[in-house]
Amino acid sequence: MEKPIAIAIDGPAAAGKSTVAKIVASKLSYVYIDTGAMYRALTYKALQQDQSLEDEKAMYQLLQNTIIDLVQTEAGQLVKLDGADVSLEIRNQEVTSNVSIVAQHGSVREEMVNRQRQLAKKRGVVMDGRDIGTHVIPDAELKIFLIASVEERAERRHKENQEKGFSSDLEKLKDEIRKRDQLDSEREVSPLLKADDAIEIDTTSLSIDEVAGKILSKVDAKKD
Ligand code: CDP
Ligand code: CDP
């Protein structure tokens, strides 16, 4: 068997990172690590406790006292916050519109990155986020940067919401995605950025399977 590698998948909101990362991980029997879920879990806990998200010191303290586990199960990945399953709660609108505020804090990021590096140490991982190829695992053997137009990304989230029976406003989704992209791209500490050695894939008019297929062919090419 070939030596397992680390695959970093970065890109803006709703570019398809987690969907294709899960497929790629499953095909390779690798572990999928959703780093966004870690920032979301901390944001959820802070909101529950009425903690000021802007207060970096307090947010860092909170993280120090927080256990976030990404648990792989047959039914998919569960996100556990201090032992409780919060997989659904961390996707709610309140968390989504506030998570980028928490993700701006340098000390919070440093601690998150330490935890993420521990998870990637053994290789055989597909990790997705914003700073994976540039900062978390700069020595990842394969780096992918997924992009898609804002319109397409908002449409995808809209469709996803409708399928789940949630209320959804396309224009609001576009605004939220633009705002989050801006915060994530313009923050001082490890912003959303394509690594020099990342392969960019524009997924605007590609299906999920086409994107996963492209990534898997890059993995195959690495083995030659
Ligand atoms: O899936 P979606 O694109 O909505 O976002 P996510 O991957 O769950 O990430 C939520 C937020 O966490 C992002 O908008 C970033 O603010 C932050 N994040 C980050 O700063 N660095 C990462 N490696 C992953 C997420
Ligand atoms: O993780 P990220 O925020 O980058 O995106 P995602 O949650 O994986 O994908 C957002 C939505 O777009 C999901 O409903 C996917 O099924 C859909 N999608 C798509 O329609 N076509 C693609 N090529 C990739 C994702």
Side-chain angles (χ1 to χ4, degrees):
M1 204 180 120
E2 287 92 1
K3 214 166 146 244
I5 63 169
I7 303 173
I9 303 185
D10 290 298
K17 301 181 296 298
S18 60
T19 308
V20 297
K22 278 179 209 161
I23 296 172
V24 170
S26 158
K27 293 257 189 234
L28 298 171
S29 299
Y30 279 15
V31 176
Y32 163 58
I33 301 166
D34 177 358
T35 63
M38 298 171 72
Y39 291 95
R40 285 174 177 272
L42 179 64
T43 305
Y44 175 71
K45 182 168 176 177
L47 288 167
Q48 291 290 100
Q49 299 189 358
D50 270 333
Q51 168 70 63
S52 162
L53 306 182
E54 273 87 8
D55 185 340
E56 172 164 4
K57 220 167 158 188
M59 287 305 303
Y60 177 69
Q61 278 279 307
L62 187 67
L63 179 57
Q64 293 290 307
N65 295 306
T66 299
I67 300 168
I68 302 166
D69 284 318
L70 303 176
V71 185
Q72 318 295 329
T73 72
E74 294 244 321
Q77 182 180 266
L78 295 183
V79 182
K80 292 211 169 172
L81 176 64
D82 299 323
D85 181 4
V86 292
S87 311
L88 291 179
E89 290 85 344
I90 62 164
R91 308 277 160 206
N92 75 27
Q93 196 47 53
E94 198 188 9
V95 172
T96 301
S97 46
N98 283 290
V99 58
S100 295
I101 299 170
V102 173
Q104 309 241 47
H105 301 314
S107 55
V108 169
R109 297 200 70 82
E110 202 176 316
E111 171 64 20
M112 290 291 196
V113 169
N114 284 340
R115 295 185 189 192
Q116 291 156 8
R117 284 184 180 150
Q118 283 301 319
L119 297 172
K121 227 160 68 180
K122 283 191 287 180
R123 292 322 208 221
V125 292
V126 183
M127 188 177 269
D128 83 333
R130 302 292 186 287
D131 59 343
I132 310 305
T134 52
H135 193 61
V136 180
I137 26 176
D139 55 347
E141 288 80 358
L142 179 63
K143 299 181 189 178
I144 304 290
F145 196 78
L146 296 184
I147 57 163
S149 70
V150 173
E151 285 71 22
E152 171 67 19
R153 290 185 284 133
E155 288 280 2
R156 288 176 184 174
R157 281 274 188 262
H158 189 51
K159 198 165 153 234
E160 199 180 305
N161 287 340
Q162 286 176 326
E163 280 167 6
K164 287 180 185 160
F166 299 160
S167 70
S168 185
D169 180 322
L170 187 59
E171 290 310 311
K172 273 196 190 144
L173 279 171
K174 271 187 213 166
D175 283 350
E176 183 258 308
I177 285 177
R178 277 200 195 95
K179 206 167 139 204
R180 206 142 56 92
D181 282 355
Q182 191 180 3
L183 279 171
D184 290 343
S185 308
E186 293 179 0
R187 70 171 170 239
E188 278 176 35
V189 193
S190 41
L192 166 65
L193 201 67
K194 176 181 167 295
D196 290 339
D197 51 350
I199 298 161
E200 183 171 291
I201 304 175
D202 185 344
T203 75
T204 306
S205 51
L206 295 178
S207 71
I208 293 165
D209 286 341
E210 282 172 326
V211 181
K214 275 181 189 281
I215 298 175
L216 286 164
S217 71
K218 300 287 175 200
V219 176
D220 272 344
K222 291 267 161 201
K223 292 176 188 161
D224 298 336

